[in-house]
Amino acid sequence: GQQLNQSPQSMFIQEGEDVSMNCTSSSIFNTWLWYKQEPGEGPVLLIALYKAGELTSNGRLTAQFGITRKDSFLNISASIPSDVGIYFCAGQPLPLGGNNRKLIWGLGTSLAVNP
Amino acid sequence: GAGVSQSPSNKVTEKGKDVELRCDPISGHTALYWYRQRLGQGLEFLIYFQGNSAPDKSGLPSDRFSAERTGESVSTLTIQRTQQEDSAVYLCASSLGLGPGELFFGEGSRLTVL
């Protein structure tokens, strides 16, 4: 099925460093979302983006909905050990429809933070 | 609890057996989703419920997979004649149905087919 291109696949960083990851698609998306999944848990929504160009922050996290509507990035500033996990992007592709609630997911970015 | 509850959390079964996975969504959430997550992979959409009806079943991988929802609440995902490739974590999520993405996930049911 359709998937988003998410990169990098994995990152190993030192505590305090900033992190950047992104997702791209060949088609236009109406909504971009970023989730975090920790071992043995379901994904948890971090940031939701609904408008092209939108830049939204949630604490140390910042995400942007690309102007072309085909990409999004997530930045984490001053990483800490509890940032460890897998970060997924997800998007709702156009066209919209009454039953179009299917999200397309990236394969995830695995983040490891060395204290 | 106040979150999405799934059971069983772990299920080991033999190839060919049927399994049922249960999801209790957050009270008042009209939309319910089932996803499958294979080891090291992203989430694969299976089926979506709005109320008790399933407008989108396009993700069900084969006719061995079925799901139902009753009382606009509990949902059951049934896999008949399980195969080894069915081994995965099955995640349930619910939402208020107001937007496509603000999903609240359960912890998943890990299925292992021997």
Side-chain angles (χ1 to χ4, degrees), chain A residues 99-115:
Chain A
N99 294 328
N100 181 18
R101 296 185 181 276
K102 186 189 305 183
L103 289 178
I104 308 301
W105 292 76
L107 294 182
T109 294
S110 178
L111 178 63
V113 179
N114 191 28

Side-chain angles (χ1 to χ4, degrees), chain A residues 3 9 30-31 33 35 37 40-45 48 50 86 88 92 96 98-108, chain B residues 31 33 35 37 40-45 48 50 55-56 58-59 91 97-108:
Chain A
Q3 282 186 331
Q9 187 175 23
N30 179 58
T31 301
L33 305 125
Y35 284 81
Q37 186 176 29
E41 305 279 331
V44 175
L45 181 66
Y50 296 105
I86 302 177
F88 289 99
Q92 184 193 32
L96 295 176
N99 294 328
N100 181 18
R101 296 185 181 276
K102 186 189 305 183
L103 289 178
I104 308 301
W105 292 76
L107 294 182
Chain B
Y33 302 74
Y35 284 88
Q37 186 176 29
Q41 299 293 312
L43 276 67
E44 178 186 358
F45 171 82
Y48 149 70
Q50 180 61 44
D56 190 346
S58 63
L91 289 161
L98 299 177
E102 296 190 18
L103 306 181
F104 294 82
F105 283 85
E107 294 184 346

Side-chain angles (χ1 to χ4, degrees), chain B residues 4-22:
Chain B
V4 176
S5 178
Q6 291 188 246
S7 61
S9 55
N10 273 289
K11 176 73 176 178
V12 180
T13 190
E14 293 179 347
K15 178 182 172 182
K17 295 283 179 68
D18 297 351
V19 296
E20 280 191 357
L21 307 176
R22 176 187 167 106

Side-chain angles (χ1 to χ4, degrees), chain A residues 4-5 21-29 31-32 34 49 51-54 63-74 89:
Chain A
L4 299 175
N5 297 313
M21 59 192 78
N22 69 83
C23 269
T24 60
S25 169
S26 57
S27 56
I28 292 173
F29 276 61
T31 301
W32 284 94
W34 286 91
L49 303 160
K51 195 163 54 173
E54 181 180 354
Q64 185 160 31
F65 191 144
I67 295 269
T68 64
R69 309 182 85 172
K70 292 182 179 181
D71 64 325
S72 177
F73 72 74
L74 174 71
C89 63

